[in-house]
Amino acid sequence: MTVEIRNQDFDPYQEVSAYQREVLQADGKYGATAVFVGSMRDFNEGDEIRAMTLEHYPEMTEQYLEKISREAKQRWDLIDSLIIHRVGDVSPNEPIVVVAVWSAHRAAAYEANRYLMEELKSRAPFWKKETLVQGSRWVEKNT
Amino acid sequence: MTVEIRNQDFDPYQEVSAYQREVLQADGKYGATAVFVGSMRDFNEGDEIRAMTLEHYPEMTEQYLEKISREAKQRWDLIDSLIIHRVGDVSPNEPIVVVAVWSAHRAAAYEANRYLMEELKSRAPFWKKETLVQGSRWVEKNT
Amino acid sequence: MNMIGSLPPESQSNPDRRTMSIAVKFFASLREQVGKADTSVESQTVSSVQDVWELASGGRPMPANTLMAVNMDYVDANHPVVEGDEVAFFPPVTGG
Amino acid sequence: MNMIGSLPPESQSNPDRRTMSIAVKFFASLREQVGKADTSVESQTVSSVQDVWELASGGRPMPANTLMAVNMDYVDANHPVVEGDEVAFFPPVTGG
């Protein structure tokens, strides 16, 4: 059960792969891995987005993500989970978040992954500010 | 919308990454990527599994996977999808299937990915034969 | 399928009793039980997938959960067959 | 929280009117509106998160959708505060 905040671009697939190989060490135990990657789009609410700054509440963010990771592990039969979330200045197409969940069977992996993302989107203290062609704005609708 | 049957071990994360970079070419358009990896466990129904052979119905399998990929694209607002499924002799911990779905928003990616996996598990013509410590058996329950 | 709705399948599929050739495939545990992967039936009387099973399997009872496809589309046992069809029989699938 | 159930929050949080020091944080659009990220309030009369907002924000009305945390746990505006608490105010979150 790992939570990381990163202030640099990262490759979500290399991260999941490396975690599985180096940290998880459960070869042959998991039959299901569900991975979600949220990445920055270059358009939002009808406008072209040039860049984004992701602010967070250091410590509270990590604590909150650890709390929902524990909750997911209590609720589903999981082997492990990994959440990496980006902060700082983000460019279009860069990953913002990756959530990976390992379990013996697929239902638990799918459901827990979705649960983590919904809880993260609705309650984890992150805020996005978008740089438009002209000016900038805080994102208000987190769809 | 790509479907591939492989008779050699593959790295699902490298595949998704390469597909995204080389084939998808939709940088900045997708905000959501849902990836599911099914891999071979070394235990099933209480028994240690040493190896597995995956049989399929050449052509029908590909056609069926292409059909459900088209159905998913009609039903959800997707940018693209990728399904790779292993056949032949498989060893524990090797990936059996990867399903990746790209969309602007997460609900479509999650739901279409789950749909593809459920349709694949229930109707795609693949059959698993497990090699146990002694003897072998066809898998009958596809949980 | 180029069948016409209201006629019984037998008269539709082979109206003038020509000899039809049907390719047949068995997969997985059914392949092992029947003892062959590929075969063909040549017959003047075969009209449905069920008939194909009986000829191709040597008359053994069809397991209750058997799945069937004609030309790679799922069908049921009553589905008609025509010259040149490929009919496949297999147990419940276990991929993924 | 070390509160006792039935007493009104004010008398619980600061029964003998000592001066309490509360760390305050504002994030994102609230940080920009209030014009500061970190501050603290020192007061003998502050008893709830709402009181902390009023002192720390210079009396401006709290936007309706403001989220609040005490010591990094979500609370509502009536939540009591005690000496040494860290109180944070922020708009709806938009991560992921």
Side-chain angles (χ1 to χ4, degrees):
Chain A
M1 240 184 49
T2 299
V3 164
E4 286 183 38
I5 305 297
R6 297 280 181 90
N7 57 14
Q8 298 287 329
D9 188 28
F10 63 93
D11 180 326
Y13 302 109
Q14 278 182 19
E15 296 284 344
V16 169
S17 220
Y19 187 85
Q20 190 170 272
R21 196 172 53 242
E22 293 158 20
V23 182
L24 185 62
Q25 300 191 328
D27 281 13
K29 303 311 167 207
Y30 52 89
T33 311
V35 178
F36 179 84
V37 180
S39 40
M40 189 185 150
R41 291 183 304 136
D42 58 14
F43 60 101
N44 193 26
E45 305 273 330
D47 296 305
E48 183 185 335
I49 311 299
R50 293 284 174 86
M52 179 182 277
T53 303
L54 257 159
E55 184 173 335
H56 77 307
Y57 183 171
E59 288 188 63
M60 181 172 170
T61 305
E62 291 86 332
Q63 284 181 24
Y64 180 80
L65 297 178
E66 285 161 5
K67 179 172 91 87
I68 62 177
S69 300
R70 282 193 304 272
E71 284 168 0
K73 207 166 178 194
Q74 279 158 15
R75 193 157 151 189
W76 288 279
D77 192 9
L78 306 182
I79 293 168
D80 204 356
S81 66
L82 168 67
I83 302 177
I84 305 174
H85 201 292
R86 183 70 186 282
V87 296
D89 294 331
V90 184
S91 298
N93 205 49
E94 289 180 358
I96 294 170
V97 62
V98 58
V99 173
V101 176
W102 289 266
S103 60
H105 299 288
R106 72 186 178 288
Y110 272 115
E111 290 168 21
N113 192 299
R114 184 85 195 254
Y115 170 82
L116 289 171
M117 272 305 299
E118 298 303 323
E119 294 297 304
L120 185 157
K121 294 280 278 192
S122 62
R123 304 276 281 175
F126 292 105
W127 302 274
K128 289 178 181 140
K129 189 171 198 175
E130 296 174 335
T131 304
L132 308 180
V133 177
Q134 291 203 317
S136 65
R137 67 181 176 203
W138 291 99
V139 175
E140 302 205 328
K141 279 172 62 184
N142 205 32
T143 49
Chain B
M1 242 184 48
T2 299
V3 164
E4 286 184 38
I5 305 297
R6 297 283 180 88
N7 57 13
Q8 297 288 328
D9 189 27
F10 64 93
D11 180 326
Y13 302 109
Q14 278 182 19
E15 297 284 345
V16 169
S17 219
Y19 186 85
Q20 188 170 272
R21 194 172 55 242
E22 292 158 21
V23 182
L24 186 61
Q25 299 190 331
D27 281 11
K29 303 310 165 206
Y30 52 89
T33 310
V35 178
F36 179 83
V37 180
S39 39
M40 187 187 153
R41 292 183 302 136
D42 57 14
F43 60 100
N44 192 27
E45 305 271 330
D47 295 305
E48 182 185 337
I49 311 299
R50 292 282 172 88
M52 180 183 275
T53 303
L54 256 158
E55 184 172 335
H56 78 306
Y57 183 172
E59 289 188 62
M60 179 172 173
T61 305
E62 291 86 331
Q63 284 182 23
Y64 181 80
L65 297 178
E66 284 160 6
K67 179 171 91 86
I68 61 176
S69 300
R70 284 193 304 274
E71 283 169 0
K73 205 165 179 193
Q74 280 159 14
R75 191 156 154 192
W76 288 277
D77 192 9
L78 306 183
I79 293 168
D80 204 356
S81 65
L82 169 66
I83 302 177
I84 304 173
H85 201 293
R86 182 71 187 280
V87 295
D89 294 331
V90 184
S91 298
N93 205 49
E94 289 180 359
I96 293 169
V97 61
V98 59
V99 173
V101 175
W102 288 266
S103 60
H105 299 288
R106 74 186 179 288
Y110 272 116
E111 290 167 20
N113 191 299
R114 184 85 195 254
Y115 171 83
L116 289 171
M117 272 305 298
E118 298 303 325
E119 294 297 304
L120 184 157
K121 294 281 281 193
S122 63
R123 303 276 281 177
F126 292 105
W127 302 273
K128 289 177 183 141
K129 189 172 197 175
E130 296 173 334
T131 304
L132 309 181
V133 176
Q134 291 202 316
S136 66
R137 66 182 177 202
W138 291 98
V139 174
E140 302 207 327
K141 281 171 61 185
N142 205 29
T143 49
Chain C
M1 298 292 97
N2 55 354
M3 299 297 108
I4 297 153
S6 57
L7 297 175
E10 191 171 329
S11 55
Q12 293 164 45
S13 1
N14 198 5
D16 44 3
R17 297 281 177 216
R18 288 166 305 189
T19 296
M20 293 201 300
S21 176
I22 308 283
V24 184
K25 288 175 177 286
F26 298 98
F27 289 96
S29 56
L30 281 189
R31 173 173 50 70
E32 291 183 348
Q33 285 164 34
V34 174
K36 48 196 167 193
D38 289 277
T39 185
S40 69
V41 298
E42 317 282 333
S43 165
Q44 294 185 331
T45 59
V46 70
S47 72
S48 70
V49 168
Q50 179 71 44
D51 298 341
V52 173
W53 168 271
E54 277 156 28
L55 283 170
S57 73
R60 75 189 67 208
M62 189 191 290
N65 55 10
T66 299
L67 298 173
M68 290 150 264
V70 169
N71 301 328
M72 305 187 186
D73 282 323
Y74 279 105
V75 296
D76 62 30
N78 300 321
H79 194 86
V81 290
V82 297
E83 166 65 23
D85 276 352
E86 174 175 299
V87 179
F89 299 96
F90 45 83
V93 303
T94 55
Chain D
M1 297 290 97
N2 53 354
M3 297 295 109
I4 296 153
S6 57
L7 298 174
E10 190 172 330
S11 54
Q12 295 165 46
S13 358
N14 197 5
D16 44 1
R17 296 283 178 218
R18 287 165 306 188
T19 296
M20 291 201 304
S21 175
I22 309 282
V24 184
K25 287 175 177 286
F26 298 99
F27 289 97
S29 55
L30 281 188
R31 174 173 50 70
E32 291 181 350
Q33 286 164 34
V34 173
K36 48 195 169 194
D38 289 277
T39 185
S40 68
V41 298
E42 317 282 333
S43 165
Q44 293 186 330
T45 59
V46 69
S47 71
S48 71
V49 168
Q50 179 70 44
D51 298 341
V52 173
W53 168 270
E54 276 155 29
L55 283 169
S57 73
R60 78 188 64 210
M62 189 192 290
N65 55 12
T66 298
L67 297 173
M68 290 150 265
V70 170
N71 300 329
M72 304 187 185
D73 283 323
Y74 279 104
V75 296
D76 63 29
N78 301 321
H79 194 86
V81 290
V82 296
E83 165 65 23
D85 276 352
E86 174 174 297
V87 180
F89 299 96
F90 44 83
V93 301
T94 56

